[in-house]
Amino acid sequence: MFKTNNVTSRIFERQIRTPAPGTSVHSARRFYENLVPSFTIYDVECPDHSFFKFTDDGQYFVCFSRNRQDLIVYRPTWLSFSCKGEDCDNNQELPPQVKRFESFFTQLYVKPLASCNELICKDFFLYMESNQFGIFATSTAQIQDARGTDGAILGVPSFEKITIHLFRLEDGFKLDEKVFHNDCVNLTHNMGAFLYDDLLAVVSLRYQTIHILQIRDSGNLVDVRAIGAYCREDDELFINSSSQLAGNRGDLVDNGTNHDQPNSNNSFLSGIKQRLLSFIFREIWSEETDQTQRVQCLKKKFYFHFQDYVDLVILKVQFLDRHHLLIKFGSVDVGASRNTDQLPAFFAVYNMETTEIVAFYQNAADELYLLFERFCDHFHATSINSMYMNFISSHSNNIHALEQLKSMKNKATSISQDSARHDNALLDTISSIVF
Amino acid sequence: MHPNLSDILGAGQKPSFHSSPMGSMLGNLPSFDPHNFSQLRPSDPSNPSKMVPSTYRPTHSRTLPPPDQVIATEAKNILIRNIYQRAEEKLRSKRAATEHLIPEHGCKQTRPSTS
């Protein structure tokens, strides 16, 4: 069966033939080969909002008010007109309505999002396509001279109140919210959050916790787990009860003293830090069979860098599937900065159900790069519901894209012979696309 | 029931009616060439054929599936599967080294302080 490019015959084909299973979205999108923009309209008077984003399904256009307190949502209702006559293509006259903003967008509602001392984060928006729920964030101003509190790490700014709002975009009805007090979540460009199906992961940089929330169909934001100091739900109970018996919690047992001490003085490492360190230890342990070699190896690779490993902080998180997280660790200096991609990074794959680290990749490991080259589509964990993602070309499913990636990598590594710069080049390639 | 055959066949052509042994199946439908369908012997409706479609008889049993085999989609996606596989491989090749290290999994026992 040969495919035609003519739009009329494509429409007839659409009438009489069903597309191959699962490709209905793809067949519909092919019409964009026939429908091309032919006009640009300038100097349209627009309302004074800061326009932000279209949702992925094209149903809503999200804007924020200039004072960053209100949410304004429009429905894109594109102007349509017909032309009757012989010479329609060359006829440059458009109807006068095209000069009006309202011809293209219909305002649905204006809802206050932030209260008086808060501002909307105008880079943060997540969209849940299946229910048409939108997730926004508001935060208060940054607190200067944030004092370290119990569990908080130093070197990360603090905000008095960060709120994640869940809205039903259809009518602007607020469904639920999750508040973080005296915390820091990296909200620019959704860096501190990741939405996968109905699971939302939010990284609290200050308390080094990954909050997993579930968005239920009823509109509730439910806490599923908090990974950080504790991995399982009953860890906190267990640790508190056993530490009372053993009394080895160090300075945390004394009330009101030494709260500003850095965490590394605490002799007890729990939660995900413990999982990570024990995984690294066992990996290095199992590399050598000879006992003395093993100890040497450990000294060199583990104990020498022990403090560096302990000081690693969780920077970003993404889902690989419903049970596995890909966690990016790094140094605390880059915790709040935007451009984290150039500095050394460590990636760990963590299974939330078994609470075990499955894999750990140090700083642009070749293994991670190979996985990424072969399975790039699975790093962009998307919901199974979004059908259009099935047909995106990437270098894991397209040989031409793979060629391009390889030539990019070769160019980057051939310039620098030094192995450290080779690693950086590799890390560039990974980081530019993984998150 | 009596279409105008000259209309169907177009001007200048005459329909030809020839009786054929296919009388019972085709009825009195016209045919262009009287020898069409002359070789065909229709089946007798009073004695229907007992033939069933042929089944394939394999000559060996080397590729038979196990009798209790159930085929289901793997729940883990290919990336996760690959990551676990590599972890397993590393562990398997160094299994002797790790034997001394792994305690019983999943038990939370209070251990005396070692500091």
Side-chain angles (χ1 to χ4, degrees), chain A residues 248-263 265-267:
Chain A
N248 65 345
R249 285 281 276 182
D251 48 357
L252 283 184
V253 173
D254 306 324
N255 286 330
T257 61
N258 294 339
H259 278 299
D260 291 339
Q261 293 253 353
N263 255 2
N265 274 357
N266 190 353
S267 60

Side-chain angles (χ1 to χ4, degrees), chain A residues 191-203:
Chain A
M191 283 216 294
F194 195 88
L195 181 67
Y196 178 74
D197 253 356
D198 59 341
L199 293 176
L200 177 66
V202 181
V203 177

Side-chain angles (χ1 to χ4, degrees), chain A residues 373-374 377 389-399 401:
Chain A
E373 198 180 83
R374 288 174 62 196
D377 302 325
M389 288 308 287
N390 292 342
F391 297 98
I392 305 287
S393 274
S394 72
H395 51 258
S396 298
N397 59 35
N398 184 313
I399 50 169

Side-chain angles (χ1 to χ4, degrees), chain A residues 101-219:
Chain A
F101 181 82
E102 291 75 26
S103 314
F104 295 91
F105 299 99
T106 311
Q107 188 182 74
L108 291 180
Y109 48 81
V110 180
K111 295 280 176 178
L113 198 58
S115 58
C116 46
N117 62 340
E118 292 174 337
L119 290 176
I120 300 175
C121 304
K122 55 185 177 66
D123 292 330
F124 186 90
F125 174 62
L126 292 165
Y127 182 62
M128 206 177 145
E129 212 170 301
S130 46
N131 301 352
Q132 297 191 345
F133 290 166
I135 300 169
F136 302 92
T138 58
S139 80
T140 53
Q142 186 173 330
I143 300 175
Q144 307 299 331
D145 309 320
R147 290 178 45 235
T149 57
D150 188 13
I153 59 167
L154 299 175
V156 174
S158 172
F159 296 82
E160 194 192 323
K161 185 178 173 197
I162 297 179
T163 318
I164 308 278
H165 303 263
L166 181 68
F167 267 74
R168 186 170 60 196
L169 284 184
E170 216 172 347
D171 55 1
F173 182 71
K174 177 159 169 175
L175 296 166
D176 206 345
E177 66 176 21
K178 166 100 179 143
V179 182
F180 299 91
H181 292 286
N182 297 319
D183 206 339
C184 176
V185 178
N186 195 345
L187 294 166
T188 50
H189 298 299
N190 303 343
M191 283 216 294
F194 195 88
L195 181 67
Y196 178 74
D197 253 356
D198 59 341
L199 293 176
L200 177 66
V202 181
V203 177
S204 151
L205 284 170
R206 201 146 182 267
Y207 294 100
Q208 283 296 295
T209 311
I210 303 166
H211 296 274
I212 309 285
L213 309 164
Q214 187 181 24
I215 303 166
R216 312 213 66 132
D217 285 338
S218 58

Side-chain angles (χ1 to χ4, degrees), chain A residues 196 232 234-235 238 242 245-246 248 281-283 285-289 294 320-321 324 349 351 354 356 358-361 367 370-371 374-375 378-379, chain B residues 75-80 82-87 90-91 93-103 105-115:
Chain A
Y196 178 74
R232 291 187 201 271
D234 54 350
D235 276 355
F238 175 77
S242 66
L245 293 171
N248 65 345
F281 181 88
R282 284 156 65 145
E283 230 187 3
W285 179 271
S286 59
E287 269 171 19
E288 299 284 337
T289 46
R294 195 183 287 167
L320 291 177
D321 71 358
H324 293 87
V349 178
N351 184 331
T354 62
E356 279 177 10
V358 182
F360 182 68
Y361 304 104
E367 204 181 310
L370 279 172
L371 277 178
R374 288 174 62 196
F375 306 114
H378 296 277
F379 276 102
Chain B
K76 281 196 256 189
N77 70 41
I78 194 171
L79 170 65
I80 306 283
N82 213 282
I83 292 174
Y84 274 96
Q85 229 170 27
R86 280 163 194 255
K90 274 192 212 162
L91 198 65
S93 60
K94 313 274 170 23
R95 192 165 281 275
T98 61
E99 262 172 73
H100 305 292
L101 197 55
I102 302 173
H105 275 289
C107 63
K108 287 180 179 174
Q109 293 171 355
T110 51
R111 293 183 197 279
S113 161
T114 53
S115 56

